[in-house]
Amino acid sequence: MTTGFPINAQDILPDDASNAVLIGRIWDPRVSGPTPVLLDGETLRDISSVAPTVSEILELDDVLAKLSNPASFPTVATLSDILDQSRPGADENTPHLLSPNDLQAIKASGVTFVASLLERVIEEQARGDSSKADQIRTEITGIIGDDLSQIEPGSQKAADIKTVLLEKGAWSQYLEVGIGPDAEIFTKAPVMSAVGHGAHVGLHPISTWNNPEPEVVLTVTSKGKIVGATLGNDVNLRDVEGRSALLLGKAKDNNASCAIGPFIRLFDGKFTLENVKSADIAMAVDGPEGYHLDAVSSMSQISRTPESLVSQAIGKHHQYPDGIMLFLGTMFAPTDDRGGAGKGFTHEMGDLVSISTPSLGKLVNQVDRSDAIKPWTFGISALMNNLARRGLL
């Protein structure tokens, strides 16, 4: 099933795209490798003359000035032509969208919204068994309630709640990172492994209880400066992580389990971090059997500020010379039954997942098994060799 993919530029672009600075990457068959691009209307322009990688472009102090005259860069293609080829299993002989990041480390924040915090506690208590979710949800909310939104992480009130829950034997590692002083920051996927708009996202074949995670992804330089934002799908295996937090790598990092895109929108006078903080992130899931799910996450309900999450991810304690892409977490934890009474939501192969917000556009991907989709083969060595052959290094 590949129907339903946007093929018109306006379907995936921000509402105010004409005022936005949007950069990304395409697979460029002319050079058998990726090319960083700047969107100019519906024209994609090659900006590899500014720097050969997106990560290096974003490190420039004057990046907005460098990109201020789009017409000075050569045309690669129109976005509509590229979108027509940006579908699952894209032919490498045709140009198509890639994730807009390249050499940045791909990091993620976990348990940053109260709604998903409760579901993580349930996953842990259920030990990955979805049939126990409803009963445990009732028991846990009976102890802690279902509204922790007024609790500031790391505050004295949070510490007092921890004391009570420890006495009741109901404390959880997820509550520790949800309302404790230290955020959960983990490596989502290896450098360059993220897929872009139109690609498959992958589920490990052992998983039977899983869901998409629609998120804002911040673009952060090596100095810790937040310079832009985009959308992401942090595909999650609820049953695997629920069995043990030590299985987080298997639950989170599989072939194509990380989608980012379609473009990075740079911060300027018209778009800032404050716009991100007030964004509503919409998600739709359309299944091959006619299933449909709509959900909205409001960034205003995040329990930790984006700045605080960035400060815990990068700084004097940990350097990333090529910058990072930081997923900010999600409040989306679907409980609607799909596979049977009490089982909650889980993916079916062929699901179409759309994640959108007016200021960043729309990211669309299709679900399949991680062992059945195209393997990841173009890594850092391949990129360096390709850029060297092109005379860009």
Side-chain angles (χ1 to χ4, degrees):
M1 171 182 166
T2 58
T3 59
F5 275 85
I7 58 173
N8 297 312
Q10 61 268 28
D11 292 335
I12 72 160
L13 294 179
D15 286 354
D16 59 340
S18 60
N19 293 318
V21 183
L22 299 168
I23 64 173
R25 292 190 310 142
I26 65 166
W27 180 264
D28 191 344
R30 302 173 308 169
V31 296
S32 300
T35 293
V37 294
L38 172 69
L39 185 65
D40 177 21
E42 285 202 8
T43 301
L44 292 170
R45 298 188 178 275
D46 179 351
I47 55 174
S48 58
S49 60
V50 176
T53 64
V54 169
S55 61
E56 190 173 350
I57 290 171
L58 296 178
E59 290 291 319
L60 299 171
D61 292 332
D62 58 348
V63 60
L64 291 174
K66 292 281 190 182
L67 302 176
S68 62
N69 183 18
S72 65
F73 301 109
T75 297
V76 179
T78 67
L79 180 55
S80 294
D81 288 342
I82 293 287
L83 283 178
D84 194 48
Q85 306 297 331
S86 298
R87 295 168 181 265
D91 184 348
E92 292 192 356
N93 293 316
T94 62
H96 54 273
L97 285 174
L98 302 172
S99 65
N101 56 296
D102 42 40
L103 295 178
Q104 297 97 330
I106 304 174
K107 309 293 287 187
S109 315
V111 202
T112 55
F113 288 85
V114 171
S116 62
L117 166 58
L118 177 59
E119 291 303 309
R120 289 293 178 270
V121 175
I122 291 166
E123 287 170 16
E124 178 186 40
Q125 297 292 323
R127 297 292 187 267
D129 184 351
S130 62
S131 66
K132 298 179 181 178
D134 277 350
Q135 176 186 346
I136 295 170
R137 187 177 293 108
T138 300
E139 293 172 354
I140 294 295
T141 55
I143 298 172
I144 67 175
D146 58 4
D147 185 9
L148 299 177
S149 60
Q150 303 305 310
I151 302 172
E152 179 184 351
S155 67
Q156 184 58 50
K157 184 177 181 180
D160 292 343
I161 289 175
K162 177 177 180 178
T163 298
V164 172
L165 291 174
L166 282 170
E167 291 173 353
K168 292 179 177 292
W171 188 246
S172 162
Q173 60 195 337
Y174 292 105
L175 286 164
E176 180 67 48
V177 296
I179 63 176
D182 300 311
E184 179 190 16
I185 306 290
F186 60 93
T187 298
K188 165 61 185 177
V191 171
M192 291 191 63
S193 67
V195 299
H197 168 84
H200 275 126
V201 286
L203 296 173
H204 196 290
I206 68 172
S207 176
T208 60
W209 188 23
N210 43 67
N211 63 266
E213 292 193 347
E215 304 186 27
V216 170
V217 184
L218 295 182
T219 303
V220 185
T221 71
S222 62
K223 298 177 182 178
K225 181 180 179 182
I226 309 169
V227 295
T230 185
L231 296 169
N233 185 354
D234 175 10
V235 181
N236 181 51
L237 310 184
R238 301 190 69 181
D239 47 1
V240 175
E241 185 176 353
R243 283 163 48 203
S244 170
L246 297 181
L247 293 173
L248 184 66
K250 184 181 285 291
K252 290 291 188 181
D253 179 15
N254 300 291
N255 183 28
S257 61
C258 176
I260 299 176
F263 294 94
I264 293 170
R265 182 169 185 176
L266 298 187
F267 291 155
D268 56 12
K270 305 179 186 69
F271 179 68
T272 68
L273 186 58
E274 295 308 308
N275 297 106
V276 170
K277 292 179 180 179
S278 62
D280 289 333
I281 312 302
M283 190 198 68
V285 177
D286 290 285
E289 81 282 29
Y291 175 85
H292 180 77
L293 172 69
D294 284 310
V296 177
S297 297
S298 176
M299 285 295 298
S300 64
Q301 296 184 40
I302 196 168
S303 59
R304 302 180 191 266
T305 66
E307 296 97 327
S308 70
L309 291 170
V310 169
S311 71
Q312 292 207 37
I314 184 172
K316 291 183 178 180
H317 55 86
H318 204 321
Q319 295 78 47
Y320 295 94
D322 298 297
I324 65 174
M325 302 295 291
L326 180 63
F327 282 73
L328 291 181
T330 184
M331 63 181 288
F332 178 70
T335 58
D336 294 344
D337 289 337
R338 183 182 188 182
K343 292 186 176 181
F345 172 90
T346 195
H347 271 305
E348 297 289 344
M349 299 307 105
D351 278 353
L352 207 64
V353 181
S354 303
I355 299 169
S356 62
T357 192
S359 62
L360 294 173
K362 180 185 289 186
L363 171 67
V364 185
N365 299 95
Q366 187 178 39
V367 175
D368 203 344
R369 285 177 33 158
S370 59
D371 60 343
I373 61 180
K374 184 169 64 175
W376 173 42
T377 59
F378 196 93
I380 298 172
S381 294
L383 176 63
M384 294 300 106
N385 288 332
N386 180 268
L387 295 177
R389 289 196 300 270
R390 293 157 62 180
L392 292 175
L393 292 183

